[in-house]
């Protein structure tokens, strides 16, 4: 059998891939590859040349079998291609991107990098196990969504996808607008596939995914919905310190309806205003639990779990409470809340702008949580 055929089989062979994933040195990796490819004289340089050639060719996989071992993690709009990484670890970092950094450290991920075209995979959608998210989390940004998802990650039966850039990037591709529902279903089945004894999926969307809330609820009508909001001045003050992607004007495709020529604060106010409008639409048209950031931080771990439909025993409650004392984005660091009034970071004119544009929406939504 030709080496390319053996390589194609290898990419679908869980036992062989796990052996390669567990390699700690190049010598062992090359030795295993020589065995799997029936290539006894194989050396490292020959392997590099062979893999470079294979990594450049779009793979046509048996998707159900292939996706047991591989996780799609990035989208290349040029060519509409998915990039894949070994799927042998469960996501457990504050953001999926943080998990990917860790997963890339294995020799398998560094040397074997499958690429597939997206659209041909749609024909194999029905071969994949159906994945219905238990919970979808939408948020305005800097509203405590990472605190919530971090606690949920402590439950072994839950798989949490925290801000998948792959899904967001595919939904932003205008050339795929006619296939958005199919693409979303496909990507959630692939990224949300249960591979580590989980049985429920939670998805924390990126903040700008709020603009696609109707698509999400159409594709996953049975999912529970959680919306998170926060006092607008606090959101904007947080982005003054460290700006998120959606608050940078160099990313206009995320919010194409915003007028050009606005000052930076005006632009950011418009971003939050659009998220507020989407959240108001979501709340008006669907059953969604809306929680304010202050409610998140003031509840006990058990109270928060109850709001999310989860019952904790004493040990679980202690684990949740400990997680809540740590910085949500830097898990080894104790969280220290700022005591500064966020409004003081803005001039009186800027405060007036924030109040006029955002406070009404915030007040309409922030009273919906525990009431």
């Amino acid at each position: 059998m030709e080496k390319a055929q053996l390589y194609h089989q290898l990419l679908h062979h869980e036992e062989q891939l796990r052996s390669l994933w567990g390699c700690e040195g190049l010598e062992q990796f090359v030795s295993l590859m020589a065995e799997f490819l029936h290539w006894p004289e194989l050396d490292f340089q020959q392997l590099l040349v062979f893999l470079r050639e294979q990594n450049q060719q779009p793979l046509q996989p048996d998707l159900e079998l292939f996706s047991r071992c591989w996780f799609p993690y990035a989208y290349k709009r040029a060519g509409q291609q998915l990039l894949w990484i070994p799927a042998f670890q469960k996501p457990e970092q504050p953001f999926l991107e943080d998990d990917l950094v860790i997963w890339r450290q294995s020799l398998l991920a560094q040397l074997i990098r499958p690429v597939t075209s997206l659209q041909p995979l749609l024909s194999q959608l029905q071969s994949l196990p159906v994945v219905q998210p238990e919970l979808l989390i939408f948020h305005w940004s800097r509203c405590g969504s990472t605190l919530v998802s971090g606690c949920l990650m402590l439950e072994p039966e839950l798989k949490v996808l925290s801000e998948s850039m792959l899904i967001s990037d595919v939904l932003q591709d205008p050339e795929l607008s006619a296939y958005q529902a199919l693409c979303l279903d496909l990507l959630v089945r692939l990224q949300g596939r249960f591979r580590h004894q989980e049985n429920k999926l939670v998805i924390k969307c990126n903040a700008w995914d709020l603009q696609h809330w109707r698509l999400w609820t159409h594709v996953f009508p049975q999912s529970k919905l959680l919306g998170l909001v926060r006092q607008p001045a606090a959101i904007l003050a947080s982005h003054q310190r460290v700006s998120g992607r959606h608050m940078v004007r160099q990313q206009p495709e995320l919010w194409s309806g915003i007028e050009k020529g606005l000052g930076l604060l005006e632009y950011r106010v418009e971003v939050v205003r659009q998220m507020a409008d989407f959240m108001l639409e979501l709340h008006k048209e669907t059953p969604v639990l809306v929680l304010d950031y202050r409610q998140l931080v003031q509840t006990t771990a058990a109270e928060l779990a109850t709001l999310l439909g989860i019952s904790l025993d004493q040990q679980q409650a202690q684990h949740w409470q400990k997680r809540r004392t740590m910085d949500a984005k830097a898990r080894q660091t104790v969280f220290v809340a700022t005591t500064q009034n966020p409004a003081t970071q803005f001039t009186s004119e800027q405060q007036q702008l924030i109040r006029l544009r955002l406070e009404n929406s915030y007040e309409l939504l922030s009273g919906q949580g525990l009431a």
Side-chain angles (χ1 to χ4, degrees), residues 307-333:
L307 288 170
L308 300 176
I310 297 173
S311 178
L312 300 180
D313 60 29
Q314 185 175 2
Q315 185 178 37
Q316 289 173 306
Q318 290 174 347
H319 290 162
W320 277 47
Q321 195 61 35
K322 182 178 180 181
R323 172 64 65 89
R324 283 155 53 93
T325 65
M326 309 304 289
D327 190 306
K329 295 178 173 60
R331 288 168 51 184
Q332 306 305 316
T333 305

Side-chain angles (χ1 to χ4, degrees), residues 90-94 148-156 160 162 323:
K90 181 180 178 180
E92 57 181 17
Q93 299 301 315
V148 173
S149 62
C151 289
L152 293 172
M153 285 179 177
L154 296 174
E155 302 308 301
V160 181
S162 182
R323 172 64 65 89

Side-chain angles (χ1 to χ4, degrees), residues 263-277:
L264 182 57
L265 179 63
E266 293 175 301
Y267 173 83
R268 289 174 172 172
V269 167
E270 283 300 295
V271 170
V272 179
R273 185 190 64 78
Q274 290 204 40
M275 288 192 285
D277 288 347

Side-chain angles (χ1 to χ4, degrees), residues 80-142:
Q80 296 183 343
Q81 294 180 329
L82 299 183
L83 310 184
W84 299 77
I85 199 167
F88 298 132
Q89 292 171 272
K90 181 180 178 180
E92 57 181 17
Q93 299 301 315
F95 299 98
L96 182 57
E97 292 295 303
D98 298 331
D99 286 297
L100 296 175
V101 170
I102 296 171
W103 298 354
R104 288 192 191 100
Q105 294 174 7
S106 72
L107 282 173
L108 176 59
Q110 294 176 46
L111 294 173
I112 298 182
R113 302 187 299 275
V115 176
T116 64
S117 298
L118 171 60
Q119 291 208 35
L121 300 184
L122 295 174
S123 64
Q124 299 189 55
L125 173 65
Q126 298 306 321
S127 71
L128 299 171
V130 175
V131 177
Q132 175 70 38
E134 182 77 9
L135 178 68
L136 298 175
I137 302 175
F138 297 104
H139 57 101
W140 280 6
S141 175
R142 310 290 167 86

Side-chain angles (χ1 to χ4, degrees), residues 24 64 121-122 158 170 175 200 206 212 223 230 240 244-245 271 289 316 319 321 355-356 363 370:
E24 296 182 357
E64 195 283 325
L121 300 184
L122 295 174
L158 295 180
V170 168
E175 294 187 9
K200 295 180 182 178
N206 279 298
H212 301 296
S223 298
R230 189 178 186 181
Q240 290 272 78
R245 172 180 172 179
V271 170
L289 173 66
Q316 289 173 306
H319 290 162
Q321 195 61 35
R355 283 195 296 269
L356 287 175
E363 291 173 0
L370 299 175

Side-chain angles (χ1 to χ4, degrees), residues 53 55 60 64 78 123 145 150 159 186 220 224 303 336:
E53 179 182 347
N55 290 334
Q60 297 180 356
E64 195 283 325
S123 64
S145 62
K159 177 174 185 174
L186 174 71
F220 305 113
K224 298 176 184 177
E303 289 170 339
V336 179

